[in-house]
């Protein structure tokens, strides 16, 4: 019954608070793991995209130089953006607990 439950040690406010803190910490650890995985995926995506654009420039340089030039501009822009992301990811990796 309700009164029996209220007498249990785990039903006290302090015990409930302790459980809340425990599960919040558990979720935080899971979130850090997911962030690490996503960081790795982002690095892989950026590397692959840069390689793809480099190959596209090589492919079109002789046959369609105007297309190759546009791809080259896009590749340079993306490389600058990717470099900034890489710097930020490195800073995140250095944080305590990461």
């Amino acid at each position: 019954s309700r009164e029996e439950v209220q007498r249990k040690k785990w039903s006290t406010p302090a015990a409930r608070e302790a459980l809340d803190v425990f599960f919040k910490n558990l979720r935080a650890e899971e979130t850090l793991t997911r962030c690490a995985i996503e960081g790795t995926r982002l690095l892989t995506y950026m590397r692959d995209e840069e390689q793809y654009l480099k190959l596209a420039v090589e492919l079109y340089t002789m046959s369609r130089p105007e297309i190759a030039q546009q791809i080259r501009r896009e590749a340079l822009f993306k490389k600058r953006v990717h470099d900034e992301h890489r710097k930020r990811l490195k800073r995140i990796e250095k944080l305590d607990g990461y």
Side-chain angles (χ1 to χ4, degrees):
S1 77
R2 180 191 256 219
E3 290 177 14
E4 290 174 14
V5 169
Q6 290 177 341
R7 289 187 203 142
K8 301 287 185 183
K9 288 184 180 180
W10 52 262
S11 69
T12 65
R16 287 195 311 268
E17 178 71 23
L19 283 172
D20 286 347
V21 169
F22 171 77
F23 285 112
K24 284 181 183 179
N25 285 335
L26 192 60
R27 296 292 91 78
E29 290 173 12
E30 291 170 358
T31 300
L32 283 174
T33 300
R34 280 195 308 276
C35 286
I37 291 167
E38 287 303 317
T40 302
R41 287 179 179 166
L42 179 58
L43 289 169
T44 301
Y45 169 79
M46 292 185 300
R47 182 201 63 210
D48 291 349
E49 184 176 39
E50 289 170 9
Q51 288 175 349
Y52 172 78
L53 292 172
K54 182 180 176 185
L55 290 173
V57 168
E58 291 172 9
L59 177 68
Y60 287 107
T61 296
M62 296 301 287
S63 62
R64 303 285 305 271
E66 67 283 357
I67 300 292
Q69 181 59 28
Q70 287 298 83
I71 295 170
R72 191 176 294 111
R73 285 182 187 159
E74 183 70 16
L76 288 172
F77 172 76
K78 288 193 180 251
K79 178 142 179 34
R80 285 192 300 268
V81 172
H82 292 171
D83 287 345
E84 188 61 35
H85 287 316
R86 285 185 190 97
K87 286 180 200 173
R88 291 178 183 189
L89 287 170
K90 280 198 179 292
R91 280 186 274 165
I92 290 170
E93 288 175 356
K94 291 178 183 178
L95 294 174
D96 289 340
Y98 187 76

